[in-house]
Amino acid sequence: MDIPKDHLVDMYETMVKIRRFEERIRELYFADKLPAFDIAAGLIPGEMHLAAGQEPVAVGMRPHLKAGDAITATHRPHHVAIAQGVDLNKMAAEIFGRETGLGRGKGGHMHLFSVEPNFGCSGIIGEGMPVAVGAAMAFRHKGTDNVALSYFGEGAANQGAFHESLNLASLWKLPVVFICEDNAYAISVPKAASTAIPDNSDRASAYGIPGVLVGENDPVAVYEVMGEAIARARRGDGPSLVEIKTDRLWGHFEGDADAYRSEEFKTEMNERDPIIVYGNRLLAEGVLNEADMASIQQAMHDDVEAAIEFAMASPYPAPESALEDVFAGRSVQL
Amino acid sequence: MTTTTERKLTTQKAIAEGIATEMAEDDSVFVMGEDVGTYGGIFGATEGLLDKFGPERIMDTPISETGFIGAAVGAAINGMRPIVELMFVDFFGVCMDQIYNNMAKIHYFSGGNVKVPMVLTTAVGGGYSDAGQHSQTLWGMFAHLPGMKVVVPSNPYDAKGLMIAAIRDDNPVVYMFHKGVLGLGWMTNNPRATGAVPEGPYEVPIGKAAVAREGTDLTIVTIGLSVHKALDAAEDLEKTGISAEVLDLRSLVPLDREAIVASVEKTHRLLVVDEDYQSFGMSGEVITTAVQGAFDYLDAPPMRLATPDIPIPYSHPLETWALPSVERITEAASTLLVAG
Ligand SMILES: Cc1ncc(C[n+]2csc(CCOP(=O)(O)OP(=O)(O)O)c2C)c(N)n1
Ligand SMILES: [Mg+2]
């Protein structure tokens, strides 16, 4: 690998951090909802879409980003938010509905917004894609060489917003990279039952832009392809579409019985857990040794624990603050 | 005909049974939507239907709402009776053009010559911290736009009967089911989410409200999950000697204005409870109806308790504060009784 060692390590650390975060959210999500699962109950009520298994998709772009680059993500946003460096404490606090959260408890896990670093997400499929196009317009207008990355699931590629956004970005030659996280399912619907062609990357040709398929759930492969696509956008050569085959290790949302995926499929998927595969590779190639890995593990777990503690120690917002923030100036809506 | 069966179903199962009943009778009826097949609908509205009717009639779709809802319109005007599911009403934003400019207007544009007999089913409502894109009711907005009927069942019996009436109706019907009345195992539920449902076909007429509880001191007009909150509040109020009548509108379009007026003429006081946003919606419409139709009977200005004009917040204390609650209804009713 002719990739700088610090990049390789950074991607591994971030993957470990993401996984730990998702594991802890999952534990705490269920902690007080069982035995009778009630979605409205507990420390973290509501829907919860976790991204365990999809870490490579998020971390592969990290070493290529610079300050000011924008990212829009989906209803399954944590991995991308962490990779973008969104404040983990505030993000956890938002998920726990606290006053100290990114959105003072108003948004929740599908609506995480951060100004610096620049990050946003949405619970509506395809919604972030035109927003990334707009971010790229702003960068061009301001004369910066920043780029916008738009994450979306393979299910979103059948939404009008996908096609309109690709066309706009190509037409105006904007610095956007569209990143399709292909985990083969949109809730229960397998890609083959929803998508007329096997690979969404082929759809790029309809808009006259490069379409690249990353066939494995591997951060190094993602790193290489994203390096190209981001550099191209930064140079002013226009958008690209990158499709990455990845795995959603858990249910669509927590509490999903996941009966629509066969046991065989799930077993195979777990056997190729990207963190284990990548970790073994780093060991085999001598990038890290066992002791390094243990200390990375410890450090990442500590970061996550600190964020969860911060969140749980934070106060809930005052009920009447629900009326604030509808309009600028923190005015109250009556 | 009186049915003596005491068979009980949840609202969710009653909806699926209503669809199955009509599909067995009429092979022009079919279902399209995301996760309606193998999954049985995220809220179970199509549970068991794939096994009964097969993938030609119970069709999982891509996430392409403009495409498949528009396709339902096309199928409807060409001899089919599609039922199409928009998973959460909040997602209407990606496909509203097909709904309100096409589905709702073709009959009118054609001078009544082209019929659009379809049902658009959708889940509505909050109260479980699903935040601002998965918790809205938005029925006022659909009701505001001319050309579609809008029904909102609150219990299993009405759910099945309204579904059958909606499928048989020659007009587009928006069928909104509140997640909190479905009787799903994974949601906090009200005991009335399970109730007696006759086997076989029957209709609940679209456009007819139901008196969910008789009373004499005030009328609470409401719809959806708030019917149950109002009924719970009425029980509390009774303990303090206040007799509240609860009117379940069941349909917003057409609106049963006569039932509103009749109840206000009887009780002389009106409280409207609406989980939808307060301004420009159902509460204003119901109050206007009462003021115009029963002005001389009103002993106090009508009141309303609705969700304030803010996006539905995620955090539990914020959401609980924003949505109508049993306590708030009881409080408002008590205030109304001493007003005027
Ligand atoms: C416009 C819209 N339609 C439907 C949904 C419901 N929904 C939420 S997630 C999802 C599946 C998304 O699949 P994909 O884009 O592949 O992302 P994944 O969940 O696999 O990460 C659906 C249909 C939605 N949120 N927004
Ligand atoms: Mg997917």
Side-chain angles (χ1 to χ4, degrees):
Chain A
M1 284 186 267
D2 55 353
I3 297 175
K5 179 179 168 182
D6 58 330
H7 289 185
L8 293 172
V9 175
D10 172 82
M11 291 195 289
Y12 183 70
E13 286 173 345
T14 311
M15 286 172 75
V16 171
K17 189 194 279 192
I18 292 168
R19 180 66 61 85
R20 184 60 180 172
F21 188 78
E22 299 297 61
E23 283 169 352
R24 289 292 284 140
I25 293 291
R26 188 187 214 199
E27 275 168 34
L28 291 162
Y29 182 80
F30 282 114
D32 39 13
K33 283 192 187 63
L34 297 174
F37 181 81
D38 177 352
I39 192 169
L43 272 171
I44 311 174
E47 274 180 87
M48 181 53 63
H49 312 84
L50 299 176
Q54 299 187 193
E55 295 88 356
V57 176
V59 303
M61 54 73 185
R62 239 176 94 80
H64 308 296
L65 288 192
K66 59 182 244 181
D69 289 344
I71 298 189
T72 65
T74 71
H75 57 288
R76 195 181 305 290
H78 302 170
H79 58 319
V80 183
I82 291 172
Q84 167 69 324
V86 171
D87 186 306
L88 201 61
N89 287 9
K90 290 185 181 172
M91 179 173 151
E94 187 60 27
I95 294 168
F96 282 82
R98 306 304 166 111
E99 174 67 29
T100 52
L102 288 167
R104 304 180 69 210
K106 293 197 163 76
H109 118 95
M110 283 188 273
H111 312 291
L112 303 169
F113 290 89
S114 162
V115 176
E116 190 53 60
N118 190 331
F119 180 85
C121 58
S122 168
I124 304 292
I125 301 305
E127 195 157 66
M129 303 188 72
V131 177
V133 172
M137 291 171 75
F139 298 149
R140 173 180 292 170
H141 181 80
K142 292 192 240 173
T144 73
D145 69 348
N146 278 121
V147 300
L149 307 191
S150 167
Y151 281 85
F152 59 98
E154 91 293 337
N158 298 312
Q159 191 63 286
F162 166 88
H163 298 277
E164 296 181 24
S165 300
L166 262 65
N167 185 56
L168 279 180
S170 173
L171 181 69
W172 294 334
K173 224 176 169 195
L174 292 168
V176 190
V177 183
F178 297 100
I179 305 152
C180 179
E181 305 184 66
D182 180 4
N183 58 17
Y185 280 83
I187 313 186
S188 71
V189 180
K191 187 183 182 190
S194 71
T195 308
I197 56 170
D199 298 317
N200 281 310
S201 52
D202 289 342
R203 290 176 159 178
S205 65
Y207 303 101
I209 63 173
V212 188
L213 178 66
V214 179
E216 345 117 85
N217 196 22
D218 166 26
V220 172
V222 176
Y223 173 94
E224 281 167 348
V225 169
M226 287 301 294
E228 279 282 318
I230 290 172
R232 179 186 153 85
R234 252 194 239 299
R235 281 197 308 269
D237 289 343
S240 318
L241 170 62
V242 175
E243 178 183 28
I244 303 157
K245 303 280 179 203
T246 188
D247 287 315
R248 153 162 74 72
L249 293 182
W250 303 341
H252 172 71
F253 49 77
E254 293 311 303
D256 178 5
D258 203 352
Y260 47 82
R261 299 194 294 183
S262 70
E263 288 312 314
E264 199 186 338
F265 179 94
K266 285 184 260 191
T267 307
E268 275 176 26
M269 185 170 67
N270 281 300
E271 280 166 2
R272 56 176 188 247
D273 184 325
I275 296 188
I276 295 171
V277 173
Y278 183 50
N280 287 342
R281 179 166 164 194
L282 293 178
L283 284 176
E285 300 189 9
V287 179
L288 294 174
N289 62 33
E290 297 279 359
D292 299 331
M293 291 185 81
S295 69
I296 288 173
Q297 190 97 340
Q298 190 60 50
M300 295 303 115
H301 286 209
D302 289 349
D303 282 0
V304 169
E305 236 23 66
I308 304 265
E309 274 167 31
F310 171 81
M312 299 205 353
S314 293
Y316 280 102
E320 312 76 42
S321 71
L323 293 177
E324 299 168 358
D325 300 319
V326 178
F327 296 113
R330 191 148 289 178
S331 62
V332 167
Q333 175 70 19
L334 291 174
Chain B
M1 190 194 84
T2 48
T3 320
T4 50
T5 175
E6 266 305 299
R7 185 190 59 136
K8 293 199 155 98
L9 290 183
T10 60
T11 305
Q12 168 255 318
K13 292 205 175 354
I15 295 172
E17 188 172 282
I19 298 173
T21 307
E22 284 307 283
M23 286 189 73
E25 300 276 307
D26 179 350
D27 70 14
S28 68
V29 180
F30 71 102
V31 180
M32 266 194 285
E34 291 152 20
D35 303 280
V36 298
T38 313
Y39 203 101
I42 295 300
F43 301 100
T46 53
E47 191 184 275
L49 300 186
L50 178 65
D51 289 345
K52 274 200 190 89
F53 300 105
E56 296 286 316
R57 294 183 73 196
I58 305 293
M59 300 176 69
D60 273 331
T61 61
I63 309 171
S64 308
E65 288 89 353
T66 287
F68 69 78
I69 294 175
V73 175
I77 66 183
N78 286 285
M80 304 297 284
R81 288 187 173 269
I83 300 170
V84 66
E85 180 169 293
L86 176 63
M87 191 186 291
F88 288 66
V89 74
D90 314 67
F91 309 161
F92 83 87
V94 300
C95 55
M96 194 60 170
D97 186 64
Q98 288 296 334
I99 297 170
Y100 91 110
N101 266 328
N102 223 7
M103 179 185 93
K105 292 179 182 167
I106 286 178
H107 186 264
Y108 187 77
F109 289 159
S110 72
N113 287 316
V114 178
K115 300 213 169 12
V116 192
M118 61 181 278
V119 184
L120 175 69
T121 60
T122 189
V124 303
Y128 62 102
S129 298
D130 216 359
Q133 295 176 343
H134 291 76
S135 302
Q136 302 166 95
T137 56
L138 299 177
W139 42 58
M141 199 194 55
F142 284 80
H144 181 66
L145 299 164
M148 42 194 160
K149 297 188 175 179
V150 178
V151 302
V152 188
S154 70
N155 60 60
Y157 179 89
D158 287 351
K160 179 174 172 184
L162 280 170
M163 177 55 78
I164 292 174
I167 296 169
R168 292 179 183 172
D169 202 294
D170 277 340
N171 297 288
V173 178
V174 180
Y175 181 103
M176 303 179 127
F177 48 86
H178 196 297
K179 294 157 223 166
V181 308
L182 293 176
L184 299 169
W186 45 279
M187 288 251 172
T188 317
N189 276 299
N190 180 299
R192 302 178 205 93
T194 303
V197 176
E199 302 192 39
Y202 67 93
E203 288 186 41
V204 166
I206 296 175
K208 279 265 165 266
V211 176
R213 176 191 172 105
E214 302 242 22
T216 52
D217 297 334
L218 83 154
T219 299
I220 305 177
V221 174
T222 186
I223 202 162
L225 179 64
S226 297
V227 170
H228 301 284
K229 294 185 178 170
L231 288 169
D232 293 346
E235 282 172 23
D236 292 346
L237 288 164
E238 187 168 275
K239 290 175 202 142
T240 62
I242 298 172
S243 162
E245 176 144 307
V246 178
L247 189 67
D248 176 358
L249 288 174
R250 302 197 291 193
S251 301
L252 284 186
V253 179
L255 181 63
D256 191 348
R257 298 183 197 270
E258 280 175 23
I260 296 167
V261 169
S263 181
V264 172
E265 284 179 352
K266 176 174 144 194
T267 66
H268 303 242
R269 288 174 201 262
L270 172 64
L271 169 65
V272 185
V273 179
D274 189 4
E275 189 183 322
D276 203 354
Y277 302 122
Q278 172 164 295
S279 302
F280 311 103
M282 180 188 109
S283 59
E285 192 58 36
V286 170
I287 289 173
T288 304
T289 301
V291 168
Q292 291 187 325
F295 186 74
D296 292 336
Y297 292 85
L298 283 166
D299 287 346
M303 280 180 72
R304 59 178 167 179
L305 179 63
T307 297
D309 300 328
I310 57 171
I312 312 290
Y314 161 68
S315 182
H316 184 68
L318 302 181
E319 189 193 27
T320 309
W321 184 84
L323 300 184
S325 62
V326 177
E327 298 70 39
R328 286 268 182 98
I329 298 172
T330 311
E331 226 174 81
S334 311
T335 313
L336 180 61
L337 264 231
V338 296

